Amino acid sequence: MQNKEEILFSAAENEFRESLRVFLDGVDAKKIEREIYERDFYPRELYGKLGDAGFLAPVLPVEYGGMGKLVYEAILAEELGAACVPLAWIHSTSSYAYATIARYGNEEQKSIYLPAMKSGAKIGAIAITEPGAGSDVMHIKTSAERKGDESLISGEKRNITNGSKADVLLVWAITNPVVDPARGMSVFIVESDTKGFEVKRDFKLLGGFPGTVNSYLRFDDVRIPGKNMLGGENEGARVMFDELSIERVLYAAMLVGEARPILELAV
Ligand SMILES: Cc1cc2nc3c(=O)[nH]c(=O)nc-3n(C[C@H](O)[C@H](O)[C@H](O)COP(=O)(O)OP(=O)(O)OC[C@H]3O[C@@H](n4cnc5c(N)ncnc54)[C@H](O)[C@@H]3O)c2cc1C
């Protein structure tokens, strides 16, 4: 009888899953997960190994070394969730960032950021939520004021998964305050070593979430070159809803993976 994976996935997709399982077994990801639960450290090195072995960013187009399909990224999210939850969380926000850059970036942006994120050398984060804007994302207050060929970003973001660990952040900001935010926000690629970017505090979530932090970030006149705007001026809402669609698929896949060891333990 065919198992669930043989019915739902193609032979190539199952092959990818199998090689990933062999790799995660080989690096003893489960043991590392237990160590993280005991000592609460961030598994950056293990994430780099995933990149070195070529498993990261399969969603990217073939010309950027990917397999060009979101389903491979979902398989990766699921297997990481099953093998090592904190590793899956690094992958989560990083994958939302690189998948969004792949979809909306121009050739220059893609050639700068995608190879570095695919290799695991750089990690991404998504910065939408603010102290006064959670579910209601249209209430963000962070602003980006155009000054010549640059934009000055000011504001605060909270609840940003691994925000203090990220090298590349996608930051949503209001660029036209006199229109409806749906038509007046843009998204910027911000590198974390840019002057004016500050990690105010890292929080631990309820339940601990070892190996993961939830960051409160501040942007104080952070000067961003115009070429770092992603997807066009005032197109931020469209990019956000696409990003959230990618996020929902990959987040769900990660949680299916996280549930697997619990199910195996229970039956
Ligand atoms: C583990 C974790 C990781 C996160 N990572 C990120 C990240 O990486 N990047 C990022 O930008 N954000 C992140 N977030 C933030 C997340 O997107 C917000 O928590 C979410 O948008 C909800 O916002 P809030 O917490 O302010 O809750 P609120 O918006 O204040 O909602 C509180 C409650 O009110 C309900 N509610 C809200 N509005 C309505 C309404 N109109 N009608 C009825 N009920 C309503 C909600 O369902 C909820 O139950 C993360 C959050 C968590 C918990």
Side-chain angles (χ1 to χ4, degrees):
M1 204 176 78
Q2 284 183 306
N3 67 25
K4 172 196 79 166
E5 278 149 18
E6 284 165 344
I7 296 167
L8 294 176
F9 297 94
S10 72
E13 289 154 11
N14 280 326
E15 218 171 278
F16 176 73
R17 185 191 293 279
E18 192 45 42
S19 55
L20 191 51
R21 283 182 181 171
V22 169
F23 172 82
L24 290 167
D25 257 7
V27 294
D28 227 339
K30 241 325 157 230
K31 180 164 163 262
I32 296 174
E33 182 188 61
R34 275 195 302 276
E35 288 169 2
I36 295 169
Y37 286 164
E38 282 161 21
R39 293 191 278 118
D40 191 5
F41 61 90
Y42 180 74
R44 182 72 181 78
E45 200 186 320
L46 185 54
Y47 190 76
K49 284 185 185 168
L50 263 178
D52 291 343
F55 286 113
L56 289 176
V59 69
L60 298 188
V62 175
E63 62 268 31
Y64 284 98
M67 291 151 125
K69 280 168 83 182
L70 187 62
V71 66
Y72 287 102
E73 202 71 48
I75 292 170
L76 177 57
E78 184 187 339
E79 292 305 317
L80 294 180
C84 180
V85 172
L87 185 63
W89 276 80
I90 301 183
H91 167 256
S92 66
T93 52
S94 210
S95 62
Y96 313 153
Y98 57 63
T100 305
I101 294 174
R103 188 169 289 190
Y104 283 99
N106 57 35
E107 284 314 314
E108 188 184 356
Q109 292 166 339
K110 288 195 275 193
S111 66
I112 292 173
Y113 295 104
L114 296 183
M117 294 175 94
K118 173 153 184 49
S119 71
K122 287 194 190 287
I123 283 178
I126 296 292
I128 300 171
T129 306
E130 299 186 0
S135 308
D136 189 358
V137 290
M138 290 300 139
H139 264 107
I140 61 166
K141 294 275 179 287
T142 295
S143 64
E145 193 188 339
R146 181 96 81 102
K147 286 264 156 79
D149 191 33
E150 293 180 322
S151 293
L152 290 184
I153 301 184
S154 294
E156 291 183 336
K157 298 284 179 184
R158 70 166 175 109
N159 250 334
I160 309 306
T161 301
N162 287 329
S164 65
K165 309 284 187 190
D167 308 286
V168 178
L169 296 103
L170 300 192
V171 179
W172 274 260
I174 298 294
T175 35
N176 183 350
V178 298
V179 298
D180 185 307
R183 289 181 288 114
M185 69 169 74
S186 307
V187 53
F188 296 86
I189 304 172
V190 177
E191 297 186 22
S192 59
D193 57 2
T194 313
K195 192 163 170 271
F197 170 76
E198 182 198 344
V199 177
K200 281 189 83 164
R201 196 175 153 190
D202 273 342
F203 289 90
K204 296 306 285 183
L205 292 169
L206 279 178
F209 274 71
T212 305
V213 292
N214 190 274
S215 306
Y216 192 168
L217 308 173
R218 185 173 160 73
F219 300 80
D220 189 8
D221 275 348
V222 175
R223 214 170 260 280
I224 299 297
K227 65 186 170 105
N228 279 31
M229 189 184 276
L230 185 67
E233 192 162 20
N234 299 320
E235 293 291 324
R238 188 161 65 94
V239 180
M240 183 194 290
F241 288 115
D242 252 11
E243 184 281 320
L244 289 171
S245 305
I246 295 166
E247 182 167 341
R248 282 180 186 124
V249 172
L250 297 181
Y251 199 95
M254 176 179 79
L255 296 180
V256 167
E258 288 186 20
R260 190 193 305 156
I262 300 164
L263 190 65
E264 282 166 2
L265 201 67
V267 292

